[in-house]
Amino acid sequence: MSVQVTVTVGSIVLALILGSVLLAMVGVNPMEAYPSVGALMFFDQWGWQDLFLKMTPLLLTGLGVAIAAQLNLWNIGAEGQLYLGAIATTWLALEFSESLDAHFMLPILLIGTFVAGGMWAAIPAGLRSWFGVNEIITTLLLNYVAISLADYLLYGAWRDPSTLNFPMTRSFGESSYLPMIGSTTVHWGLPLGILLAVLTWILLRSTTIGFQIRVAGDNLSAADYSGFNTKNLLFIVLVLSGAVAALAGMTEVAGIHHRLQQNFSINYGYTGIIVSRLARNHPIGVIGTAFLLAVIFVGGELLQVEYQLPIAVVYLFEGLLLFTVIGSELFLSYRLRRRVAL
Amino acid sequence: MNPVLELQKIHKEFPGIVANDQIDLTLNRGEIHTILGENGAGKSTLMNIISGLYIPDSGSMFLEGKPLHLKNPAQAIAKGVGMVHQHFMLIPNHSVSENIILGTPQAFRLQKSKVRQQIEELGRRYGLEFNPDLRVQDLSVGEQQKVEILKVLFRGAKILILDEPTAVLTPQESEALYKILRQMKKDGQSILFISHKMREVIELSDRITVLRHGKVKATRNRGETSPSELARLMMGESTIQTGEVQTKTSKASSDQSQNKTIVRLKNAGLRHELGHWLLQNINLEVRAGQIVGLAGVAGSGQAPLAEVLVGLRGLDTGEYQFAGEEQKGASVSELIHKGVGYIPEDRKRYGIAPHLEVAENFLLRDLHNNRFQSRGWLQRDKVTAFGRDRMRAFDVRAASERTPIGQLSGGNMQKVILARETSRPLKFLLAAQPVRGLDIHATAFLQNQLLQARADGLAILLISEDLEELLLMSDYLYVISRGSIVGEMPKEEAEIEKIGLLMTGERA
């Protein structure tokens, strides 16, 4: 465990060093840029609030992906699940927020979005469990369906005529706004994500169903042999994965935009795969890596603003990080194999 | 004496273990030299050094007097060192001749007729005759091994290394192999034969070198040794008495025919998804307090039969009765609940979750037992305590009960599985190859545990490819071949010859 953390931290440092070379190549002095961006990010009021706001959807999608990964399932569909969650939230908010107050509205949004995301993920989950259809393909393709569905609604039934034909809905009623923490602009989506991560960890460690998931993830044949219903396990885990990722859609539209609009997600769902992978799919580790990716997102925004660098630089940073961390993992498993060769 | 291969002070260490400790060995022209040793004695490491897979830390090798430095297996093959692996390295849907020329230098356009001629010539000389156009997948295991040998000879091997070649053969096939090896010896080939079966070794070898804990314990010439001396050399002075298992066997309760039938298969049949039959007309009975042996060559239907008995598959025809009740469509967990224990043949694939703790592995197949959980919540301290207790009772050697089980040796893993399966009320235990790959201490321990379980009234079905083990342990024997039971007999009437013939599918 500690070896893994050391290696991960080491590979992040390596990515930062490689990133500084990258910055130098585009004419920015990294010795100047890193500290100034760091100061803005961590000590500026706007900076750290933005950090936590970006971290929230990354945490939820990353956790969703990590849940599926417990059974070696690849949920590539977090982006679509996020969109579907946002659609579900929007429908509930548009429909009920005028007539219900926040005490009723917020639990309805939470549970409704969770259920909707789970039902959405039940499509690939069922196909995988009972027909053996590869979930990578189905979850990936459903992303386009969900995004197109959002577009269809935004250009059609849900378009707000008062927005001069911009594809967005009207604003939700205030009872559907996620409350802020204290006097900050950070909403309660972040504590929700952390709570879910901890609950997932407890589920896996301390319950019999979690034990079955751990066995099946480690050795599916042994789970069959132990009499566990592995088809049901696959189904449940993938549904849960989609349900959690869908909550990211809720926190975005109910926490920040207060309406559904086009392109509200800056690839949070796809980045969730990286978040999970960097944490080696550990539900608690996801909290740390979601923060790390948020640093890269916000750091990239700041580099854009302060140094007029293109968005591509942010993507390059992400790529470097993934490269070094996954590269280091190969290194880890190589060492492991040598011990086994005894 | 004309040494072909000489090893001097070969030394190889892996982290934490000395696999080969200053090994000296000579192989003469035209001799069969056996390397005898328990699992883990260092035989495989040594052979991997000779065949270029491992590079020794120190020491030197000489081939026909010239220093031999191997960096990879390709070099070893080029120098004339040929290895016949225990697990065949053949491509099933290619023909015999294609498999044989694989990896050898050939003209761009294959000259098949020339190759065929060479193969036929080699085959005639050693009694390894084949139709070179047959596909390997259509050959029996024994024939596939002959293809492997031909492959090595075709490459012009001067030294032939055979790694436990008889492990997968019937007694008759083994005899045929010995004949081939003797012929090759006469022809001047030098053969290194790796084994842990003492009987075959004494008959076949010109010299026997015994390895123990990575060291050469002794080298003996033909006729200068005895099985008991070899056993002592292999196992050390503290060798457990082979009589120990035997005496218990003979004390079997005399009249088992009165005991209750626990498992009964009636005309059982099972189809493959593609339609052909995996099992057909299986009639089999296991009674309480009885060990029933199932003999058969690997792949004769033992695996599907085991899957049926533990509930991983349902029968297509016939009946499966457990404790008098029909079990149509019973799931694994239902059968576990009714008292079925299972020691799977492939313990790493089915028996354990390798990255979970040893203690946690006791929960497999027993998860809903109240000693581990309460209303779906695991009681971690109880899990740990139970694991610790069972590990002590079964002498499982591991750093702690929290060690990932994948780090344990095969024998300790198997003890955990046995401990787990026998730690809840059982009526029936299916033990598939329970001692395969275990050293003699672990083997004796496991066998004694099985005999103890029988004495306590458990019905046991023992699946094994080792006839001696079956004859030692079983009260009643069935022989399976090509998915059907081809013979059955009480232990008193069982003879190795007769069973061996049945195993090949011929009626005795």
Side-chain angles (χ1 to χ4, degrees):
Chain A
M1 197 63 211
S2 64
V3 181
Q4 283 189 1
V5 172
T6 317
V7 171
T8 305
V9 171
S11 54
I12 291 165
V13 172
L14 183 65
L16 286 177
I17 293 169
L18 291 173
S20 67
V21 175
L22 184 80
L23 287 180
M25 278 163 61
V26 294
V28 175
N29 179 3
M31 304 310 283
E32 183 199 320
Y34 278 160
S36 85
V37 166
L40 281 173
M41 197 159 23
F42 297 115
F43 301 115
D44 179 85
Q45 170 92 353
W46 177 86
W48 62 259
Q49 290 184 357
D50 195 34
L51 207 53
F52 287 129
L53 286 176
K54 293 276 189 304
M55 177 180 165
T56 304
L58 290 172
L59 172 56
L60 286 165
T61 55
L63 182 61
V65 174
I67 289 171
Q70 302 306 313
L71 279 184
N72 304 313
L73 295 169
W74 283 90
N75 177 9
I76 308 296
E79 186 76 11
Q81 289 143 12
L82 176 148
Y83 266 88
L84 198 97
I87 291 170
T89 302
T90 304
W91 183 76
L92 290 167
L94 293 178
E95 205 71 13
F96 301 113
S97 53
E98 267 82 45
S99 48
L100 292 172
D101 69 14
H103 288 102
F104 293 102
M105 204 54 226
L106 293 175
I108 285 174
L109 289 183
L110 180 68
I111 294 164
T113 308
F114 192 79
V115 170
M119 283 165 63
W120 182 249
I123 300 167
L127 287 170
R128 166 67 205 238
S129 279
W130 289 289
F131 300 101
V133 181
N134 189 320
E135 80 287 351
I136 299 177
I137 294 166
T138 48
T139 52
L140 174 68
L141 293 180
L142 280 174
N143 286 340
Y144 303 108
V145 178
I147 294 168
S148 301
L149 179 63
D151 280 350
Y152 168 77
L153 292 168
L154 286 171
Y155 281 105
W158 285 0
R159 170 143 60 179
D160 180 4
S162 70
T163 59
L164 305 170
N165 281 344
F166 276 111
M168 50 173 65
T169 65
R170 68 189 153 87
S171 220
F172 302 162
E174 270 191 44
S175 66
S176 290
Y177 289 14
L178 279 191
M180 305 298 167
I181 303 172
S183 58
T184 67
T185 58
V186 183
H187 56 71
W188 279 88
L190 183 64
L192 172 72
I194 293 171
L195 177 71
L196 285 174
V198 173
L199 285 179
T200 305
W201 176 238
I202 293 173
L203 175 89
L204 287 172
R205 290 301 297 177
S206 307
T207 68
T208 51
I209 177 101
F211 181 79
Q212 295 184 35
I213 292 168
R214 283 193 293 139
V215 172
D218 196 25
N219 183 349
L220 196 62
S221 300
D224 279 325
Y225 148 95
S226 300
F228 303 160
N229 190 333
T230 49
K231 284 185 174 163
N232 282 356
L233 284 179
L234 287 172
F235 184 79
I236 292 168
V237 163
L238 206 46
V239 163
L240 207 59
S241 160
V244 170
L247 291 181
M250 181 199 81
T251 61
E252 282 304 285
V253 295
I256 297 174
H257 307 293
H258 302 140
R259 56 158 41 113
L260 183 63
Q261 62 191 48
Q262 240 188 345
N263 302 328
F264 71 94
S265 163
I266 42 177
N267 284 342
Y268 288 128
Y270 293 114
T271 313
I273 301 166
I274 302 177
V275 168
S276 170
R277 199 80 191 82
L278 286 183
R280 300 197 165 80
N281 308 320
H282 192 291
I284 301 294
V286 161
I287 300 171
T289 54
F291 180 77
L292 181 72
L293 263 298
V295 166
I296 290 182
F297 269 45
V298 176
E301 278 174 10
L302 289 169
L303 282 173
Q304 283 180 69
V305 174
E306 300 287 313
Y307 295 92
Q308 285 77 48
L309 292 180
I311 182 84
V313 173
V314 184
Y315 296 144
L316 266 169
F317 254 103
E318 251 181 79
L320 275 177
L321 191 68
L322 197 63
F323 184 80
T324 55
V325 171
I326 290 179
S328 75
E329 189 165 318
L330 282 176
F331 171 69
L332 270 181
S333 51
Y334 173 70
R335 283 186 19 157
L336 204 70
R337 204 170 289 168
R338 268 191 58 167
R339 278 189 213 137
V340 171
L342 284 182
Chain B
M1 286 295 110
N2 188 356
V4 178
L5 181 74
E6 255 184 291
L7 306 187
Q8 287 179 359
K9 302 213 178 318
I10 291 290
H11 196 83
K12 179 75 184 173
E13 282 184 28
F14 294 108
I17 191 168
V18 181
N20 283 167
D21 191 357
Q22 310 289 340
I23 291 198
D24 292 318
L25 186 79
T26 52
L27 176 66
N28 294 323
R29 186 173 307 287
E31 107 170 318
I32 299 179
H33 192 147
T34 295
I35 312 291
L36 190 66
E38 285 191 32
N39 290 292
K43 294 173 297 189
S44 300
T45 305
L46 189 62
M47 293 309 121
N48 285 331
I49 288 172
I50 299 174
S51 59
L53 215 56
Y54 293 160
I55 297 168
D57 299 335
S58 64
S60 37
M61 293 196 278
F62 299 91
L63 186 70
E64 295 177 320
K66 280 173 269 174
L68 180 68
H69 299 287
L70 298 173
K71 291 203 178 64
N72 54 51
Q75 286 184 348
I77 292 167
K79 300 263 186 199
V81 179
M83 176 114 176
V84 176
H85 291 271
Q86 194 175 358
H87 303 284
F88 303 148
M89 312 283 179
L90 297 172
I91 302 173
N93 55 4
H94 280 202
S95 73
V96 171
S97 59
E98 283 168 333
N99 267 285
I100 288 175
I101 63 172
L102 197 73
T104 61
Q106 293 286 327
F108 179 68
R109 192 168 173 280
L110 291 177
Q111 294 175 300
K112 285 197 177 167
S113 60
K114 208 173 126 196
V115 167
R116 184 172 303 147
Q117 219 180 340
Q118 278 175 295
I119 293 173
E120 279 170 358
E121 206 182 290
L122 272 175
R124 251 196 312 281
R125 196 178 330 155
Y126 298 113
L128 293 161
E129 281 165 60
F130 277 106
N131 176 355
D133 298 327
L134 282 180
R135 285 179 183 213
V136 164
Q137 65 194 13
D138 298 328
L139 303 178
S140 74
V141 176
E143 288 170 321
Q144 289 185 23
Q145 188 170 53
K146 289 178 194 164
V147 175
E148 279 280 8
I149 296 174
L150 257 182
K151 196 165 108 182
V152 172
L153 292 174
F154 185 81
R155 292 163 187 206
K158 296 170 193 156
I159 298 169
L160 198 67
I161 305 172
L162 293 134
D163 186 6
E164 306 243 354
T166 55
V168 289
L169 303 183
T170 63
Q172 284 80 6
E173 283 174 324
S174 300
E175 268 312 316
L177 176 71
Y178 302 152
K179 234 175 99 185
I180 293 166
L181 294 181
R182 289 196 187 99
Q183 178 59 40
M184 290 170 57
K185 181 179 105 176
K186 256 188 235 161
D187 222 60
Q189 292 278 359
S190 315
I191 296 162
L192 267 178
F193 191 88
I194 304 166
S195 183
H196 60 236
K197 292 185 189 167
M198 266 173 299
R199 242 173 33 133
E200 66 177 24
V201 155
I202 285 182
E203 273 177 43
L204 184 70
S205 324
D206 298 308
R207 284 197 295 161
I208 299 168
T209 293
V210 182
L211 285 191
R212 183 169 132 78
H213 295 327
K215 290 191 181 115
V216 173
K217 290 314 275 187
T219 300
R220 293 280 183 270
N221 290 325
R222 173 195 291 278
E224 284 177 6
T225 186
S226 63
S228 60
E229 190 202 18
L230 289 177
R232 213 170 45 245
L233 288 167
M234 262 168 82
M235 276 75 106
E237 297 302 326
S238 65
T239 304
I240 40 156
Q241 298 302 310
T242 35
E244 194 182 323
V245 175
Q246 229 125 17
T247 44
K248 274 199 182 170
T249 331
S250 54
K251 276 194 292 185
S253 52
S254 48
D255 199 12
Q256 294 170 339
S257 57
Q258 298 305 306
N259 291 358
K260 205 175 147 209
T261 300
I262 304 295
V263 167
R264 174 179 281 145
L265 287 176
K266 266 193 192 163
N267 297 320
L270 180 71
R271 269 177 200 278
H272 191 268
E273 289 133 18
L274 300 176
H276 61 269
W277 292 95
L278 294 170
L279 298 173
Q280 240 177 332
N281 295 323
I282 301 260
N283 288 292
L284 182 145
E285 245 183 55
V286 189
R287 293 174 182 275
Q290 187 184 37
I291 295 183
V292 170
L294 182 69
V297 182
S300 298
Q302 296 97 326
L305 182 66
E307 286 176 6
V308 166
L309 290 174
V310 300
L312 284 166
R313 284 179 190 241
L315 286 174
D316 291 307
T317 60
E319 274 180 47
Y320 172 21
Q321 292 177 359
F322 189 83
E325 294 165 42
E326 166 67 21
Q327 301 299 327
K328 192 131 198 129
S331 69
V332 175
S333 55
E334 283 169 78
L335 285 169
I336 289 173
H337 198 67
K338 286 176 178 158
V340 173
Y342 181 29
I343 299 175
E345 175 177 346
D346 192 339
R347 64 184 78 107
K348 283 189 183 162
R349 179 150 173 227
Y350 293 103
I352 58 159
H355 296 99
L356 268 57
E357 298 165 7
V358 175
E360 289 178 321
N361 268 278
F362 279 101
L363 272 66
L364 269 68
R365 289 177 71 78
D366 202 15
L367 180 59
H368 299 291
N369 196 319
N370 283 332
R371 70 170 157 235
F372 298 129
Q373 56 94 29
S374 149
R375 291 180 197 154
W377 291 91
L378 287 184
Q379 312 285 301
R380 291 204 66 89
D381 43 341
K382 287 187 188 166
V383 170
T384 309
F386 183 82
R388 200 182 303 138
D389 174 65
R390 290 287 89 185
M391 284 169 72
R392 203 178 303 126
F394 278 74
D395 190 30
V396 176
R397 310 268 170 87
S400 96
E401 66 279 354
R402 310 205 57 174
T403 310
I405 196 170
Q407 291 179 7
L408 269 56
S409 72
N412 283 314
M413 235 179 242
Q414 193 73 323
K415 284 180 188 170
V416 172
I417 293 172
L418 181 72
R420 174 178 75 211
E421 296 303 308
T422 53
S423 293
R424 61 197 140 88
L426 278 194
K427 288 200 180 82
F428 170 58
L429 178 65
L430 173 55
Q433 311 274 14
V435 299
R436 177 149 78 185
L438 303 191
D439 66 32
I440 194 137
H441 297 285
T443 298
F445 181 86
L446 246 90
Q447 290 180 337
N448 280 324
Q449 290 287 331
L450 290 179
L451 293 169
Q452 184 59 48
R454 175 187 66 174
D456 296 342
L458 192 61
I460 298 173
L461 180 66
L462 176 65
I463 299 178
S464 178
E465 285 149 30
D466 182 343
L467 287 184
E468 285 178 42
E469 180 194 357
L470 285 172
L471 290 176
L472 175 70
M473 300 286 295
S474 317
D475 304 306
Y476 196 87
L477 276 159
Y478 288 91
V479 184
I480 189 168
S481 173
R482 292 181 192 146
S484 296
I485 298 289
V486 292
E488 55 182 284
M489 66 210 76
K491 176 206 187 116
E492 296 76 35
E493 295 165 24
E495 293 158 29
I496 288 211
E497 262 319 273
K498 186 168 136 196
I499 298 173
L501 272 177
L502 287 168
M503 278 161 68
T504 60
E506 291 169 44
R507 299 256 158 205

